[in-house]
Amino acid sequence: MDLSLKTESFTQDRRDWLGSAHGTDAPVSITLDVSKFTANTHYPNGFIKSGIPLGKVTSGGKYGPYDDAASDGRQTLVGFLFTAQDVDARRVASTSVVGSMLIHCFIREAKLPVAVDANGKADVAGRIIFV
């Protein structure tokens, strides 16, 4: 029996970027490629923030942060990370993390953790509404 002291960290998952509950009942399961994310921008506290815009990496089929200047598939916005994901190397040994993505929803653009450009909005037009 192990009675040693253990600590566990949690973060407050802010979802104020959601414009409504519409679409939150049907998130899509995805695998994130943590190596594509930038620590200071996407997970400054060890958790990839919910609301991060995502693109699908062509090679391997994992997801990374949307980047219109990328050439690996992430230049096309496909959805938004629904729940924050723990990627702190002290707790998570893998560079692949399972998460969930919204592909049909209302977004409060001003509340997103990172901005989405006009090309990204065009990629999801009709499925995701920015308010």
Side-chain angles (χ1 to χ4, degrees), residues 99-126:
S100 59
M101 177 176 68
L102 294 179
I103 58 172
H104 183 79
C105 58
F106 290 92
I107 300 287
R108 289 186 180 142
E109 186 176 356
K111 299 284 187 170
L112 285 172
V114 295
V116 175
D117 62 13
N119 291 336
K121 292 176 189 175
D123 293 338
V124 294

Side-chain angles (χ1 to χ4, degrees), residues 9 11 13 16 21 27 30 38 41-42 44 47-48 50-51 55 65 93-94 99 102 104 111 115 118-119 128 130-131:
S9 297
T11 184
D13 192 12
D16 56 349
I30 60 168
T38 305
T41 303
H42 302 113
F47 292 82
I48 298 177
S50 68
S94 177
L102 294 179
H104 183 79
K111 299 284 187 170
N119 291 336
I128 295 177
F130 293 87
V131 294

Side-chain angles (χ1 to χ4, degrees), residues 41-98:
T41 303
H42 302 113
Y43 58 97
N45 64 352
F47 292 82
I48 298 177
K49 300 174 183 179
S50 68
I52 293 288
L54 299 172
K56 186 173 184 177
V57 180
T58 306
S59 174
K62 295 178 185 176
Y63 292 78
Y66 163 75
D67 180 355
D68 191 46
S71 60
D72 61 0
R74 294 179 301 123
Q75 66 273 17
T76 303
L77 178 62
V78 295
F80 290 83
L81 187 63
F82 183 44
T83 56
Q85 297 302 311
D86 187 358
V87 295
D88 190 312
R90 294 172 292 179
R91 296 182 297 269
V92 179
S94 177
T95 60
S96 295
V97 175
V98 175

